[in-house]
Amino acid sequence: METRVLSFQAGGPALPHPDPLADPSSGWLWIDADADAGDLEELTALTGALGLDPLAVRDAVEDLDLPKVDDFGESLLLVMHGLGDERVETYELDCFLTANRLVTIRRGRSPSIDALWEAAQTRSDIAAGGPDEMLGRLADVATRRLVSVLEVFDSRNDELIELALTADARFLAEVTAVRADLSALRRAVHPQRECFDELRRSTSELFSDRGRRRFSDVFDAASRAAQGVDAARAGLSETLEAYRGAEARQATEVSKVLTVYAAIMLPLSLVAGFFGMNFENLTLVADESGWIIVTALMAVIGLLSLGVFISLGWIRRPSGRHAGETLGQGLI
């Protein structure tokens, strides 16, 4: 288990601290732990000394929970989901709040924590306030990272619309990837918004008025994220309908071309069938140039039929399509 500690004192940036169990005196401590199920015993010993709920700590490293808030009186647990760096997928971030400590537990790297951790050591305004305000800042960073993905969707959707209108073979793979990304965001954004709504109206003594106001701002950002996800899913459905319409139109064009070919061949088949009858007195059968006359007649009929369909604009070259074989890039 990897653990790091920051000490916050009034009037300056945060400073690294060697002891997570030290008495913060007039300030407070931020303890960040990167732990998994194999570190449970060591983590339980640390958090037990801090007075945190052991079952909640066990869930933090063993289970994958949706965003939630648990108030234990002297401590409070906020489970959030943050956005990873390399793919559009979320990870769990368990935050324990006490009167003079903020304890964050994660499994693997957290870009949101890393960004805020570095900023708190260089900027006094970021380090100002108590642990409840820092928790609000962390929630704000995590939420705005989720919103940043939705900002990409508008330009990505324009590309999907172009593929849809041409019934491009890549469309289904791309739209499936984007839909999977949006579903991953939606699973985190909606319950996370409800958590922030609960915290902005919390009556817990662990939250100051400034902390509640900060969570009000975070709730607004989470609400925009939730609305953006729903709007993106609706836009994706409309794009899919456009693709189905383009696909049906293209299939109609193919059927039209086949119908035109069949219409041209039908009178030629009739002529060939007529002169193919086994009657001795059939016109032109005994004539040595009969086959030339019949062939010329068939050519004239074919050319006339082709000219009629061309003048009507019914003959076009269809574009071939093949099913997509690989998943698209999504919103990456």
Side-chain angles (χ1 to χ4, degrees), residues 59-66 79 81 90-93 107:
D59 288 343
V61 296
E62 289 188 345
D63 297 331
L64 181 62
D65 296 320
L66 290 175
V79 178
H81 279 222
T90 61
Y91 61 90
E92 182 179 332
L93 182 58
R107 282 167 283 184

Side-chain angles (χ1 to χ4, degrees), residues 21-195:
L21 299 178
D23 184 3
S25 62
S26 60
W28 61 277
L29 298 179
W30 180 3
I31 305 169
D32 178 47
D34 182 1
D36 54 26
D39 302 316
L40 180 58
E41 184 176 351
E42 182 181 357
L43 182 63
T44 302
L46 171 62
T47 56
L50 299 176
L52 303 182
D53 185 82
L55 292 180
V57 173
R58 179 181 294 273
D59 288 343
V61 296
E62 289 188 345
D63 297 331
L64 181 62
D65 296 320
L66 290 175
K68 66 177 182 178
V69 175
D70 286 333
D71 191 345
F72 302 104
E74 295 183 355
S75 64
L76 181 142
L77 168 64
L78 169 62
V79 178
M80 295 189 296
H81 279 222
L83 182 68
D85 270 339
E86 298 181 356
R87 298 182 58 187
V88 181
E89 60 183 5
T90 61
Y91 61 90
E92 182 179 332
L93 182 58
D94 298 86
C95 307
F96 292 87
L97 177 67
T98 66
N100 55 11
R101 284 180 174 85
L102 172 62
V103 180
T104 54
I105 301 175
R106 53 190 170 82
R107 282 167 283 184
R109 180 174 177 269
S110 170
S112 300
I113 288 182
D114 291 344
L116 197 58
W117 191 273
E118 295 297 329
Q121 297 180 72
T122 56
R123 296 177 52 184
S124 299
D125 57 329
I126 298 296
D132 59 327
E133 294 184 56
M134 185 58 69
L135 178 59
R137 292 188 183 97
L138 179 57
D140 186 57
V141 172
T143 301
R144 293 186 186 279
R145 281 180 57 81
L146 294 174
V147 174
S148 66
V149 179
L150 297 175
E151 296 174 355
V152 180
F153 175 78
D154 291 336
S155 59
R156 191 74 181 90
N157 194 42
D158 291 340
E159 298 175 5
L160 291 176
I161 290 176
E162 293 180 2
L163 296 178
L165 294 180
T166 57
D168 194 285
R170 297 171 295 170
F171 175 79
L172 289 179
E174 295 294 340
V175 77
T176 300
V178 173
R179 175 172 286 184
D181 291 342
L182 291 177
S183 297
L185 292 181
R186 190 174 187 274
R187 286 193 297 269
V189 166
H190 281 274
Q192 197 150 294
R193 178 186 59 177
E194 301 305 319
C195 292

Side-chain angles (χ1 to χ4, degrees), residues 158-267:
D158 291 340
E159 298 175 5
L160 291 176
I161 290 176
E162 293 180 2
L163 296 178
L165 294 180
T166 57
D168 194 285
R170 297 171 295 170
F171 175 79
L172 289 179
E174 295 294 340
V175 77
T176 300
V178 173
R179 175 172 286 184
D181 291 342
L182 291 177
S183 297
L185 292 181
R186 190 174 187 274
R187 286 193 297 269
V189 166
H190 281 274
Q192 197 150 294
R193 178 186 59 177
E194 301 305 319
C195 292
F196 298 152
D197 185 30
E198 182 177 346
L199 291 179
R200 69 172 180 154
R201 295 181 287 105
S202 174
T203 59
S204 173
E205 296 181 355
L206 298 175
F207 283 93
S208 63
D209 291 338
R210 292 175 60 88
R212 280 187 283 267
R213 285 198 299 271
R214 184 166 294 279
F215 271 101
S216 294
D217 294 338
V218 179
F219 172 74
D220 293 338
S223 296
R224 292 195 299 272
Q227 294 170 2
V229 169
D230 292 339
R233 286 169 60 87
L236 209 59
S237 298
E238 294 175 358
T239 306
L240 184 58
E241 290 298 324
Y243 170 77
R244 290 172 178 168
E247 189 178 44
R249 184 183 67 248
Q250 193 172 75
T252 301
E253 292 295 330
V254 173
S255 299
K256 183 187 295 184
V257 171
L258 294 178
T259 302
V260 168
Y261 288 158
I264 293 175
M265 295 302 296
L266 183 61

